[in-house]
Amino acid sequence: MTNSYVIGTSAIATAQKALDLIGQNVANATTPGYHRVDPQLVSRTTGPNVTGVDIGSVTRYSLPAVRTAILTSNGDQGRYTALLDTNRQVETALATSQGGVGDKLESFFNQVEELTARPDNLASRRTILTAASDLSNQLNSTAGDIDRLRSDLGRKIGATVDQVNTLATRIASLNTQILTKENRGLTANDLRDQRDVAIDDLSKLIDVKTVEVPSGQINVISGDSAVVVGEFANRFTVSQNASDDIVITDTTAALTRNFRSGSLAGDVQSFNTDIPALRARLDTLAGQLIQKVNQVQATGLGSTPITSLSGTNQASSVTAPLNAAGLPFAVQAGTLTVSVTNNNVSPATRTNTAIAINPATQSLTDIATALSAVPGLAATVNATSNTLNIQAQAGYSFEFAGRDSLPAGSGAVANTDTSGLLVALGVNGLFVGSSAASIRVNPAITADPTLLAASRTGQVGDGTNLERLGAVRDAQAVGTRTLTQDFADIAATLGSDINSFNDLQTTQASALRELASQEQATTGVDTNEELVKLLAFQRMIQGASKYLSVVNTSMDALFNII
């Protein structure tokens, strides 16, 4: 009868422990990352004697294959979400809707067409300059917004790397705690749950693979590189290289790391590749606008004779060949024809002089010397700004329109600047600058709208140069696309990327929900199932209590007999 009490009390004690585990399950039924546990009962014996029941082990349910798939899907979902969010912000900054760059381009050329019908109207000239200013301001604003977005993204990447470091450190710490606890023969299911949650969070930031070692610790791998090894966590830092790209360095291994998925990979892709590519396209559009409009403006005639001009584009060196002088636009081998009018005689005379341009051998100083050799002109190089200044001598004026010589001599010159020198040096352009961020309307023309080159002949009412300017709208500018078509293509490409990332994100979200459902079915808590177990162990306690009561009654009867 001695074992009877041991058997009965073991049943009550075991059932009580089981009830504690069931209570833990029920209490954490909605706790993220919680894995349900189940007591495994074993018969307890001592030698040939039966001594009752005990909990042999506690099962923590898990689905390793599904968990691996979830970690992979987390990384993909994080990358697609990051790319989608950034592209949507870029779309907002690009202002592809009404009032954006596309609209401002159309408005500018519409104003040019209106002025063509009345080229001498000063008010209409001011309207064109306003439209040009609106266009340049919109390009400035768009470029600035995209640059600020990239700068903000750089700070976000830094914060994300800090999160990666924090999570890696936490996982390493939990590895240590789990090892310590389980080496003492205790269960560490709560710590394992916390570690799983930390790994899950990490997998949303970077690509993650896990390897559990026999000690119960988990090593975390990203790509082919370790993030956590047992009790040790690698540390990552963020910097920018000479190309202004983000570089993530594993300071522990002193190596550069490129993550394949997760929000960090998406943000780095946007920062290093996608946003710079779009900004380059915007700069190309602005550069083509400047070149084509300025080529027309520089080779036309305003209402006021030109007696002096100053270039707005700086050379990096006044003595280096033009093709190595850091000019914003390329100079080609060709000819520059300058027309000089001598108003000191009556009738006035006009002479066209062709200057050969070779960017491989001529410097800015050489160009100034060649222009100074033209009768009536004096050209110098501004030593402070490395720009070209052209000054007519007293009683002279000059232009690059290529009109007939006076008295009648050589005919008009159709293309007076086959080299693109005027545009490259920023001489007499409507716009100054070379990119979306730097484009501005020439302040000299803003101050004096009569300088706007509407004519090619100089006759009253002539708007032939405005016709040339209007033709820029339909001319091929970027590849086979016009300026407006190129901006539309930029917007369309961005929109297509957004749709693609949105579809990928939606598909990945659906896959994640399915995987989570599969995992939850095994590792999650079903309160109805737990209630059934609760009743079973309740009856176990009741049965053991009844059993002990009968044993007590039997013992009392036995003692009475004795």
Side-chain angles (χ1 to χ4, degrees):
M1 297 293 287
T2 304
N3 287 340
S4 299
Y5 287 107
V6 175
I7 292 171
T9 55
S10 74
I12 293 174
T14 298
Q16 185 59 56
K17 293 177 183 177
L19 287 175
D20 289 343
L21 293 174
I22 292 170
Q24 182 75 354
N25 285 341
V26 173
N28 289 281
T30 58
T31 301
Y34 180 77
H35 290 234
R36 72 183 177 94
V37 293
D38 197 18
Q40 306 300 315
L41 304 187
V42 294
S43 176
R44 192 171 67 185
T45 59
T46 303
N49 300 318
V50 177
T51 56
V53 66
D54 202 352
I55 295 178
S57 62
V58 176
T59 300
R60 176 180 179 268
Y61 287 91
S62 62
L63 282 177
V66 173
R67 174 54 25 194
T68 297
I70 287 175
L71 295 179
T72 299
S73 293
N74 278 343
D76 292 338
Q77 175 78 336
R79 177 173 174 267
Y80 297 144
T81 299
L83 289 169
L84 179 61
D85 289 347
T86 299
N87 275 272
R88 281 175 172 164
Q89 293 179 65
V90 170
E91 184 179 46
T92 300
L94 195 60
T96 57
S97 58
Q98 187 174 3
V101 172
D103 279 357
K104 301 301 184 185
L105 270 170
E106 286 295 330
S107 178
F108 170 69
F109 286 115
N110 288 342
Q111 294 301 325
V112 170
E113 288 185 0
E114 288 189 18
L115 182 62
T116 302
R118 42 181 183 174
D120 295 326
N121 187 293
L122 187 59
S124 295
R125 286 173 176 249
R126 294 190 185 280
T127 302
I128 282 185
L129 295 178
T130 298
S133 180
D134 289 344
L135 173 56
S136 61
N137 288 341
Q138 185 62 54
L139 284 165
N140 298 160
S141 175
T142 300
D145 288 344
I146 294 174
D147 289 345
R148 281 188 290 275
L149 171 60
R150 185 170 185 255
S151 179
D152 291 343
L153 190 59
R155 286 190 288 272
K156 179 188 174 188
I157 289 171
T160 302
V161 169
D162 287 343
Q163 285 181 272
V164 169
N165 288 332
T166 298
L167 287 168
T169 301
R170 177 163 175 72
I171 293 167
S173 174
L174 287 166
N175 272 341
T176 301
Q177 296 176 57
I178 290 168
L179 179 64
T180 301
K181 194 169 185 179
E182 292 183 346
N183 280 345
R184 291 162 52 196
L186 304 173
T187 60
N189 292 332
D190 55 337
L191 297 175
R192 286 176 174 266
D193 287 343
Q194 293 175 40
R195 184 176 64 186
D196 280 355
V197 169
I199 293 173
D200 192 75
D201 290 341
L202 183 63
S203 71
K204 297 171 184 177
L205 306 179
I206 61 175
D207 49 294
V208 162
K209 291 188 296 185
T210 59
V211 179
E212 184 167 359
V213 296
S215 65
Q217 295 185 325
I218 284 182
N219 296 334
V220 179
I221 311 297
S222 184
D224 297 322
S225 307
V227 177
V228 177
V229 179
E231 304 169 31
F232 303 98
N234 287 7
R235 184 167 184 81
F236 302 91
T237 58
V238 179
S239 60
Q240 286 179 251
N241 61 19
S243 300
D244 198 34
D245 288 342
I246 285 286
V247 176
I248 299 175
T249 304
D250 180 346
T251 57
T252 306
L255 294 173
T256 299
R257 298 302 187 202
N258 295 311
F259 298 108
R260 300 170 182 172
S261 65
S263 63
L264 185 57
D267 286 339
V268 169
Q269 176 183 326
S270 293
F271 188 96
N272 288 352
T273 305
D274 297 348
I275 293 178
L278 184 137
R279 273 290 278 112
R281 288 199 64 180
L282 193 65
D283 282 341
T284 298
L285 172 69
Q288 286 297 315
L289 170 68
I290 293 167
Q291 290 183 78
K292 293 190 176 300
V293 169
N294 283 0
Q295 178 70 18
V296 173
Q297 165 66 28
T299 55
L301 293 169
S303 303
T304 305
I306 300 173
T307 57
S308 67
L309 286 174
S310 294
T312 58
N313 294 336
Q314 298 182 350
S316 58
S317 168
V318 299
T319 57
L322 293 172
N323 60 9
L327 295 171
F329 304 114
V331 180
Q332 308 296 326
T335 302
L336 174 66
T337 300
V338 55
S339 301
V340 177
T341 301
N342 183 357
N343 299 299
N344 295 317
V345 297
S346 182
T349 61
R350 181 167 58 247
T351 304
N352 293 331
T353 302
I355 301 173
I357 305 298
N358 186 344
T361 59
Q362 291 174 305
S363 66
L364 186 60
T365 300
D366 294 331
I367 297 299
T369 300
L371 286 168
S372 295
V374 176
L377 290 186
T380 59
V381 173
N382 186 316
T384 302
S385 62
N386 286 2
T387 55
L388 178 68
N389 296 328
I390 308 173
Q391 180 72 44
Q393 295 175 3
Y396 288 83
S397 62
F398 65 96
E399 68 206 46
F400 301 97
R403 291 186 289 175
D404 287 336
S405 300
L406 293 176
S410 60
V413 180
N415 188 351
T416 58
D417 185 12
T418 61
S419 66
L421 180 71
L422 298 177
V423 172
L425 298 180
V427 174
N428 197 30
L430 176 59
F431 293 111
V432 298
S434 60
S435 66
S438 63
I439 183 173
R440 302 284 190 280
V441 175
N442 191 332
I445 298 178
T446 300
D448 183 3
T450 63
L451 296 177
L452 181 65
S455 172
R456 288 279 285 175
T457 66
Q459 298 176 1
V460 176
D462 174 45
T464 51
N465 206 53
L466 288 173
E467 293 174 3
R468 293 174 66 214
L469 186 56
V472 171
R473 184 209 294 260
D474 300 318
Q476 292 182 356
V478 184
T480 60
R481 295 185 296 273
T482 66
L483 292 169
T484 51
Q485 287 172 342
D486 189 59
F487 182 77
D489 186 70
I490 293 173
T493 301
L494 182 60
S496 176
D497 289 343
I498 289 173
N499 289 335
S500 177
F501 290 136
N502 186 63
D503 290 344
L504 289 169
Q505 184 201 45
T506 301
T507 301
Q508 199 63 49
S510 177
L512 264 173
R513 285 193 296 269
E514 177 62 27
L515 289 169
S517 178
Q518 291 180 34
E519 185 178 52
Q520 185 66 18
T522 298
T523 67
V525 176
D526 183 337
T527 52
N528 291 326
E529 182 181 340
E530 297 303 314
L531 178 59
V532 172
K533 294 179 184 177
L534 184 69
L535 294 173
F537 285 110
Q538 181 184 20
R539 287 193 293 269
M540 181 176 172
I541 291 175
Q542 291 172 343
S545 298
K546 183 66 175 177
Y547 169 76
L548 287 174
S549 177
V550 171
V551 170
N552 280 333
T553 301
S554 298
M555 290 297 293
D556 288 344
L558 182 60
F559 284 133
N560 288 334
I561 292 172
I562 295 174

